[in-house]
Amino acid sequence: MLEKVDMKRKADWQDYDARMAHLEIRMGELQRECKKQGIPIAILFEGFSAAGKGTMIGKMIAPLDPRGFKVYTMEKETEDDKMHPYLWRFATKMPAKGRIHIFDHSWYQGYPQTLQTEEIRQFEKQFTDDGVVLIKFFLAITCKEQKKRLSTLEKSKDTKWRVTEKDWKKNKEYDTNLEQYDTMLIQTDTSNAPWTVVEAMDKKYAICKIMTTVVKRLEIALEAKKAGVKATDAVPDLLEEDLRNGVLQGVDLSLTMEPQEYKKKRKDLQKRLEVLHNKMYLQRVPVVLAFEGWDAGGKGGAIKRITQCMDPRGYEVVPVASPNEVEKSHHYLWRFWEKFPKDGHMTIFDRTWYGRVLVERVEGFATEQEWKRAYQEINAMEAHLVKSGAIVLKFWMHIDPEEQEKRFKQRMETPEKQWKITDEDWRNREKWDEYEKAIDEMMLRTSTQEAPWHIIEANSKLYARIRVLEIVVEALEKRLT
Amino acid sequence: MLEKVDMKRKADWQDYDARMAHLEIRMGELQRECKKQGIPIAILFEGFSAAGKGTMIGKMIAPLDPRGFKVYTMEKETEDDKMHPYLWRFATKMPAKGRIHIFDHSWYQGYPQTLQTEEIRQFEKQFTDDGVVLIKFFLAITCKEQKKRLSTLEKSKDTKWRVTEKDWKKNKEYDTNLEQYDTMLIQTDTSNAPWTVVEAMDKKYAICKIMTTVVKRLEIALEAKKAGVKATDAVPDLLEEDLRNGVLQGVDLSLTMEPQEYKKKRKDLQKRLEVLHNKMYLQRVPVVLAFEGWDAGGKGGAIKRITQCMDPRGYEVVPVASPNEVEKSHHYLWRFWEKFPKDGHMTIFDRTWYGRVLVERVEGFATEQEWKRAYQEINAMEAHLVKSGAIVLKFWMHIDPEEQEKRFKQRMETPEKQWKITDEDWRNREKWDEYEKAIDEMMLRTSTQEAPWHIIEANSKLYARIRVLEIVVEALEKRLT
């Protein structure tokens, strides 16, 4: 979840002040309305040291009526806390109806030593089932920024006390911590209590994102209450484009490769792959390659350069289209389970189970509840595959709209490629922004440590094919002896 | 869950044949209706060796159209199974809409080595969320019966092959297995996929219970489909009285104690308790005693005999009544978290969080969804307490209606006890049967290995008080050095 975020997002909008003014008014209004409707609200802040939790909380509560909220600083255990079960300190502080409780540090401090994922999920679910609006913020900054902030705090006499040995140790181990946080976030990112990762390098950006999130979640909760449905059953797309974690934004599509270099590298990688394919079979390791991407992104081309050098009895390419009648009468993941490889074999999926959170989401083939719970279902399925010993690699073939248009036109003009282009392809282009939103969210919520997403810069077909081959070869070499 | 079940239940009803005939007709009708409505049904059978899974499956499918169901025997892994991730063999066999798939042994075979509780719950939830009616049967027989059946099978040439070394080993380790099954059942007993424990000693009883359960679950699913709600949101009380796991039935209320023996034992136990109370404090062990029971069951009397001998600074008795305004504005468990003891202290609850699944269920103060999910929420909360080091003891003070009436009358006739009896008490008596049903289900779904229920035979006040003291003293002695 964290590794795909561009922490350096800035609030460079002209209408920033007007925006914030509007949000502050809404915060006050919604607080009053939620109090009237008896909706309990819990907001928790986690994040890297020096990411600015305290500052953000201060700014967030500014427009609120102080009689209606309470801030709890939970980092240090009190003597009383230590004498009670770990969750006691939080359970007793959960808000009553109509109240807002804000936690600076929360039960996530207990992860993973004291609390496991399942305990956290169960703990949160009992409250969200009961109608609590649980908003979880994770503030993210880079290692360099963290170091800079810690130094600044340390230099001033007034703030020197806030920087401890522990903080410097955390900065030293930043990369390890990032990994651990990443796992923690993904495993506790549920449809009833999703995480919002806040790019916290730019304070103006961060507070805007935080307030916008709170405003939207409260609006949803109030609507749901009016309609008599559970708020978690009604969570629509949350944030405006400029506030989403724009994973795809940061991709460098200028990367290319010269034909000569391509030829050389392809030969070498394919040779290694051939050897590895044999080892894979003898060592009984199953491999799943999942290809997603924009139409004409180059999935087929990348797949071909993989299979070209392998014994066809040892792999299968599964082209995935919309489900047929039989498949539609089963659980949506059933047809993929059917196709997973046995030990020693490789299955390459051209389009995948991610269709649930992409096309089915955008076109409305799946209900909101269905695609919103799909992230966790997919993560669980992939986790089971990896736990059973499979290598799972996921590729997103990324191109920009201009490149796509170019390729679409080329296909139409080339007789033997005309079959590849349909009206549907052109129609999908019109929904580019909606798809980008869906892809961003997919990357965020399903890029796990065991099965991360690899975004392939695919404007250059040559570059893309080599990149894919490299990732496959490296993964196999790492696992096979 | 298992330890409270009376496995020897018999089908001694006069109308048995008529009942079965009716059930068989319903099974056929419902199969057709579910096919029309496109409802997928998965039924799995687990249980002790020789409990009769095969026989029961055979009888259950007899009234069904064979074109609409399929039985999968999953005990042995096929070569193909072994070469795929563990869940593959089950995920690929989950039923399409309108089909009934029956599993003789299921993914529970993977517990706990290959599959953890959370994985099982996630696996099942994705299907029940998708509309699959998942019915889970656990067939239970006693150790003695298991031995008898294994011997019978072994003696006949035709069935000798069915009894393996492994089966005899299981019979030897019956008690350990019972404990493990108990834990497995409780942890995977969810509101979307609850377990039905089938007392399988009497085959006639067992098949009746199985068919009745299937019929009811399908009726509920069809109703929910019509109403457009999720089936799991609409599961009402399932079974007729004679088919429930009657936990309270088997309690021997004739147990009494002579005053002289009572005096002697009480003195001894209270002396030991006084010493243990000190040790508890010094060793920082928190203790939670939870008392539930019929009105006039003797909760107060039992509590008094515990606190009489202890330093009042080291314990607190919390009398629990219906929640006040502040408490009602919080999550229902909040007021209990507030009162949990710190290390070294004891809190005694006179009535408890179980009110949610007792009075709130019977009187409708909690919605069905709310009390149905409460079992797991309560189990998770108690598990957290125990994991943090607390001793948690739960007592049900059990008397029969005649004894209750006697005590009610006594109270009305005794001026200083008149305050103890109200109109409400008499009204509750009218709902005795409903309460018994709620208590039975509570025992079943919340008696865990870490925090089992102790049913106290309380018709004799003297016997009951000693029994409670014994349990408390033994638990403390076991834990403290």
Side-chain angles (χ1 to χ4, degrees):
Chain A
M1 212 173 188
L2 272 184
E3 308 208 358
K4 298 260 170 287
V5 163
D6 173 17
M7 298 179 196
K8 302 199 191 76
R9 297 288 291 279
K10 271 176 138 48
D12 46 17
W13 318 302
Q14 279 199 308
D15 64 340
Y16 182 81
D17 292 336
R19 212 164 165 163
M20 288 307 295
H22 169 77
L23 282 170
E24 286 171 3
I25 291 173
R26 279 307 275 149
M27 288 279 280
E29 288 174 345
L30 290 164
Q31 176 185 24
R32 283 189 290 280
E33 197 53 35
C34 284
K35 178 162 195 269
K36 221 161 104 188
Q37 296 295 330
I39 295 178
I41 300 153
I43 307 176
L44 65 86
F45 285 80
E46 292 289 343
F48 287 98
S49 290
K53 287 184 281 299
T55 312
M56 288 299 121
I57 291 174
K59 289 182 189 287
M60 188 188 77
I61 59 179
L64 298 177
D65 180 339
R67 293 166 298 175
F69 72 77
K70 194 165 154 93
V71 177
Y72 295 94
T73 316
M74 304 300 296
E75 192 173 19
K76 254 219 188 94
E77 301 171 290
T78 64
E79 279 308 307
D80 224 16
D81 287 341
K82 286 189 223 179
M83 291 167 68
H84 283 94
Y86 187 77
L87 287 175
W88 176 86
R89 76 205 65 181
F90 304 107
T92 49
K93 295 177 178 61
M94 290 303 281
K97 296 189 168 110
R99 303 257 321 149
I100 303 177
H101 283 190
I102 298 152
F103 297 89
D104 177 351
H105 289 105
S106 65
W107 46 91
Y108 284 92
Q109 296 294 298
Y111 174 92
Q113 275 86 8
T114 317
L115 284 184
Q116 271 73 61
T117 304
E118 184 165 20
E119 291 173 280
I120 292 178
R121 293 206 228 186
Q122 282 183 319
F123 184 67
E124 295 181 351
K125 186 174 189 296
Q126 74 187 314
F127 294 108
T128 55
D129 274 345
D130 202 44
V132 174
V133 181
L134 178 56
I135 307 175
K136 294 151 50 177
F137 289 115
F138 187 91
L139 271 50
I141 52 176
T142 59
C143 181
K144 205 165 152 199
E145 178 72 12
Q146 185 180 52
K147 189 170 183 181
K148 184 168 139 218
R149 291 186 185 190
L150 287 175
S151 300
T152 307
L153 284 168
E154 215 173 38
K155 285 204 186 90
S156 158
K157 242 186 304 172
D158 297 325
T159 53
K160 195 182 160 112
W161 62 275
R162 291 180 53 191
V163 181
T164 62
E165 277 251 8
K166 210 166 141 203
D167 289 314
W168 282 117
K169 187 167 181 279
K170 285 188 190 176
N171 182 245
K172 248 201 181 146
E173 300 168 349
Y174 182 93
D175 290 333
T176 312
N177 289 338
L178 183 94
E179 252 188 59
Q180 286 177 359
Y181 283 137
D182 195 72
T183 303
M184 175 186 93
L185 294 178
I186 274 254
Q187 290 188 348
T188 54
D189 177 52
T190 54
S191 49
N192 55 293
W195 276 100
T196 298
V197 176
V198 181
E199 300 88 336
M201 304 271 281
D202 178 25
K203 292 184 167 70
K204 287 172 74 175
Y205 179 86
I207 189 55
C208 184
K209 180 158 185 169
I210 288 168
M211 276 207 204
T212 308
T213 303
V214 173
V215 164
K216 298 244 166 186
R217 289 288 299 273
L218 297 187
E219 284 173 348
I220 288 163
L222 286 163
E223 253 188 67
K225 182 130 195 179
K226 217 181 288 177
V229 298
K230 268 208 314 216
T232 51
D233 286 344
V235 178
D237 303 322
L238 271 196
L239 299 177
E240 291 91 329
E241 192 187 312
D242 53 11
L243 286 174
R244 280 187 281 114
N245 299 106
V247 183
L248 294 180
Q249 250 78 307
V251 180
D252 179 3
L253 288 173
S254 69
L255 294 168
T256 57
M257 186 171 291
E258 290 305 310
Q260 236 165 315
E261 188 188 1
Y262 167 77
K263 265 206 180 100
K264 186 165 165 285
K265 286 194 164 168
R266 195 200 75 202
K267 248 183 150 179
D268 168 67
L269 289 164
Q270 284 183 336
K271 215 164 167 196
R272 286 153 73 188
L273 183 53
E274 199 181 345
V275 172
L276 289 163
H277 191 218
N278 266 322
K279 282 193 178 180
M280 203 186 98
Y281 181 76
L282 292 169
Q283 292 175 36
R284 310 320 250 122
V285 174
V287 176
V288 173
L289 305 185
F291 283 89
E292 284 289 351
W294 296 106
D295 292 326
K299 293 184 292 302
I303 292 174
K304 187 166 163 192
R305 274 67 189 181
I306 293 174
T307 59
Q308 265 175 345
C309 61
M310 301 196 307
D311 182 335
R313 292 167 298 174
Y315 73 80
E316 180 184 11
V317 178
V318 177
V320 175
S322 53
N324 61 37
E325 283 311 303
V326 175
E327 293 165 344
K328 267 196 262 194
S329 67
H330 283 86
H331 186 270
Y332 74 99
L333 291 176
W334 174 80
R335 56 175 171 147
F336 301 105
W337 275 105
E338 274 266 297
K339 292 292 184 184
F340 286 143
K342 46 175 127 179
D343 293 346
H345 290 250
M346 176 189 289
T347 302
I348 304 173
F349 291 87
D350 184 350
R351 292 218 184 280
T352 71
W353 42 97
Y354 284 97
R356 186 69 152 187
V357 300
L358 296 172
V359 61
E360 291 189 35
R361 164 183 175 168
V362 174
E363 300 293 341
F365 299 146
T367 67
E368 217 168 311
Q369 282 185 58
E370 288 175 337
W371 62 255
K372 282 215 169 267
R373 65 172 185 254
Y375 300 115
Q376 282 294 330
E377 295 172 343
I378 287 170
N379 286 344
M381 181 180 76
E382 290 176 6
H384 186 73
L385 290 180
V386 170
K387 202 172 138 197
S388 318
I391 294 175
V392 177
L393 300 173
K394 290 144 46 175
F395 300 100
W396 175 265
M397 308 299 288
H398 190 53
I399 55 177
D400 57 35
E402 295 72 37
E403 181 62 31
Q404 187 188 58
E405 189 178 17
K406 201 170 95 193
R407 295 186 187 184
F408 275 9
K409 290 199 165 124
Q410 278 175 353
R411 288 180 176 184
M412 288 179 79
E413 287 150 18
T414 318
E416 62 273 22
K417 291 206 175 182
Q418 255 165 23
W419 62 273
K420 281 180 145 226
I421 190 84
T422 63
D423 284 339
E424 202 183 308
D425 293 318
W426 285 107
R427 267 202 317 275
N428 288 345
R429 271 178 70 80
E430 285 160 32
K431 300 192 175 181
W432 187 281
D433 287 341
E434 285 181 68
Y435 272 104
E436 201 173 283
K437 183 191 285 198
I439 297 156
D440 273 344
E441 188 162 3
M442 172 185 83
M443 292 286 172
L444 212 71
R445 303 199 185 287
T446 62
S447 202
T448 58
Q449 290 292 323
E450 312 93 21
W453 272 101
H454 297 277
I455 301 176
I456 307 297
E457 303 88 340
N459 261 15
S460 154
K461 291 187 184 181
L462 300 187
Y463 177 85
R465 292 167 190 171
I466 294 302
R467 194 71 200 99
V468 169
L469 276 167
E470 281 176 343
I471 291 169
V472 175
V473 165
E474 276 160 22
L476 290 177
E477 278 175 351
K478 189 164 167 204
R479 168 70 93 80
L480 304 166
T481 48
Chain B
M1 210 174 190
L2 273 184
E3 308 208 355
K4 298 262 170 287
V5 163
D6 173 16
M7 299 179 195
K8 300 196 192 80
R9 297 288 292 280
K10 270 174 140 42
D12 47 15
W13 317 301
Q14 279 198 307
D15 65 339
Y16 182 81
D17 291 336
R19 210 163 165 162
M20 289 305 297
H22 168 77
L23 282 169
E24 287 173 3
I25 292 173
R26 280 307 275 149
M27 288 277 280
E29 287 173 347
L30 290 163
Q31 176 186 23
R32 283 189 289 280
E33 196 53 36
C34 284
K35 178 161 194 272
K36 222 161 102 188
Q37 297 296 327
I39 295 177
I41 301 152
I43 308 175
L44 64 86
F45 285 79
E46 293 288 343
F48 288 98
S49 288
K53 286 183 283 300
T55 311
M56 287 300 120
I57 291 175
K59 290 184 189 288
M60 188 188 77
I61 60 179
L64 298 176
D65 180 337
R67 293 167 299 174
F69 72 77
K70 195 165 154 92
V71 177
Y72 296 96
T73 316
M74 305 300 295
E75 193 173 18
K76 257 226 189 82
E77 301 170 289
T78 65
E79 279 308 306
D80 222 15
D81 287 341
K82 286 189 224 181
M83 291 169 68
H84 282 93
Y86 187 78
L87 286 173
W88 176 88
R89 77 204 65 182
F90 304 106
T92 50
K93 293 175 179 63
M94 289 304 282
K97 295 188 168 106
R99 302 253 326 145
I100 305 176
H101 283 191
I102 299 151
F103 297 90
D104 178 351
H105 289 102
S106 65
W107 44 92
Y108 284 93
Q109 294 297 299
Y111 174 92
Q113 275 86 9
T114 316
L115 284 185
Q116 271 72 59
T117 305
E118 184 166 18
E119 289 172 282
I120 291 178
R121 290 205 231 186
Q122 281 184 318
F123 184 67
E124 294 182 352
K125 187 175 190 294
Q126 76 187 310
F127 293 109
T128 55
D129 274 347
D130 202 43
V132 174
V133 181
L134 178 55
I135 307 176
K136 296 153 45 179
F137 289 115
F138 187 92
L139 272 50
I141 51 177
T142 58
C143 180
K144 205 163 152 200
E145 179 71 12
Q146 185 182 51
K147 190 169 183 186
K148 185 171 140 219
R149 292 187 185 191
L150 288 175
S151 301
T152 309
L153 285 168
E154 213 173 37
K155 284 204 188 89
S156 158
K157 241 187 306 175
D158 298 324
T159 53
K160 195 181 160 102
W161 62 273
R162 291 180 52 192
V163 181
T164 62
E165 278 251 3
K166 209 165 143 205
D167 290 313
W168 281 116
K169 186 166 183 278
K170 284 188 190 176
N171 182 244
K172 249 206 181 135
E173 301 168 350
Y174 181 93
D175 289 332
T176 313
N177 288 340
L178 182 92
E179 250 187 61
Q180 287 178 358
Y181 282 138
D182 194 71
T183 304
M184 174 185 93
L185 293 178
I186 273 257
Q187 290 188 348
T188 54
D189 177 52
T190 55
S191 47
N192 55 294
W195 275 100
T196 298
V197 175
V198 180
E199 300 88 335
M201 304 271 281
D202 177 26
K203 294 185 168 64
K204 288 173 73 173
Y205 179 87
I207 188 57
C208 185
K209 182 160 183 166
I210 288 169
M211 276 207 205
T212 308
T213 305
V214 173
V215 163
K216 297 244 166 185
R217 289 289 298 275
L218 296 188
E219 283 173 349
I220 288 161
L222 285 162
E223 253 187 69
K225 182 128 196 181
K226 215 180 292 177
V229 299
K230 266 203 326 208
T232 51
D233 287 344
V235 179
D237 303 323
L238 271 195
L239 300 177
E240 292 88 330
E241 192 187 311
D242 53 12
L243 285 174
R244 282 187 279 114
N245 299 105
V247 183
L248 294 179
Q249 251 76 307
V251 179
D252 179 4
L253 290 172
S254 67
L255 294 168
T256 56
M257 188 172 288
E258 291 306 308
Q260 236 163 315
E261 189 188 1
Y262 166 78
K263 265 208 180 100
K264 186 166 165 284
K265 288 194 163 171
R266 194 200 75 203
K267 247 185 151 175
D268 167 66
L269 289 164
Q270 285 182 337
K271 216 169 167 188
R272 287 154 73 188
L273 183 52
E274 199 181 345
V275 173
L276 290 163
H277 191 217
N278 267 320
K279 282 195 179 180
M280 202 186 100
Y281 180 77
L282 292 169
Q283 292 175 35
R284 314 314 251 129
V285 175
V287 175
V288 173
L289 304 187
F291 283 87
E292 286 287 352
W294 296 105
D295 292 326
K299 295 184 291 302
I303 291 174
K304 187 166 165 194
R305 274 68 189 183
I306 292 174
T307 59
Q308 265 174 344
C309 61
M310 301 197 305
D311 183 335
R313 293 167 298 174
Y315 72 81
E316 180 185 8
V317 177
V318 177
V320 175
S322 53
N324 61 36
E325 282 313 302
V326 175
E327 292 165 345
K328 268 197 260 192
S329 70
H330 283 85
H331 186 269
Y332 75 99
L333 290 176
W334 173 81
R335 57 173 171 150
F336 301 105
W337 275 104
E338 274 266 296
K339 292 292 183 183
F340 285 144
K342 47 176 129 179
D343 292 347
H345 289 251
M346 177 188 287
T347 303
I348 304 174
F349 291 87
D350 183 351
R351 291 220 182 279
T352 72
W353 43 96
Y354 284 96
R356 186 71 153 186
V357 300
L358 296 174
V359 62
E360 291 188 35
R361 163 183 176 167
V362 174
E363 300 294 341
F365 299 145
T367 67
E368 217 167 309
Q369 281 185 58
E370 288 175 335
W371 62 256
K372 280 214 168 270
R373 63 173 184 254
Y375 300 114
Q376 283 294 331
E377 295 173 344
I378 287 170
N379 286 344
M381 180 179 77
E382 291 176 5
H384 185 73
L385 290 179
V386 171
K387 204 172 137 198
S388 317
I391 293 174
V392 177
L393 299 174
K394 291 145 42 174
F395 300 99
W396 174 265
M397 307 300 287
H398 191 54
I399 55 177
D400 55 34
E402 295 72 36
E403 181 61 32
Q404 188 189 57
E405 187 177 20
K406 198 169 99 195
R407 294 185 188 183
F408 275 8
K409 290 200 165 124
Q410 277 173 355
R411 289 178 173 183
M412 288 180 78
E413 285 150 19
T414 320
E416 61 276 19
K417 292 207 177 180
Q418 256 165 22
W419 62 274
K420 283 179 142 226
I421 191 84
T422 64
D423 284 338
E424 204 184 304
D425 293 318
W426 286 107
R427 266 201 320 272
N428 288 343
R429 270 179 69 79
E430 286 161 31
K431 300 192 177 182
W432 188 282
D433 287 341
E434 286 182 66
Y435 272 103
E436 203 173 281
K437 183 191 286 199
I439 298 156
D440 273 343
E441 189 162 1
M442 171 184 84
M443 293 286 172
L444 213 68
R445 301 198 186 289
T446 62
S447 200
T448 59
Q449 290 291 325
E450 312 94 22
W453 271 101
H454 298 278
I455 301 177
I456 307 297
E457 303 88 339
N459 262 14
S460 153
K461 291 185 182 181
L462 300 187
Y463 177 85
R465 292 167 189 170
I466 294 302
R467 194 71 201 99
V468 168
L469 277 168
E470 281 176 344
I471 291 169
V472 175
V473 166
E474 276 159 23
L476 291 176
E477 279 175 351
K478 191 165 165 201
R479 169 70 91 80
L480 305 166
T481 46

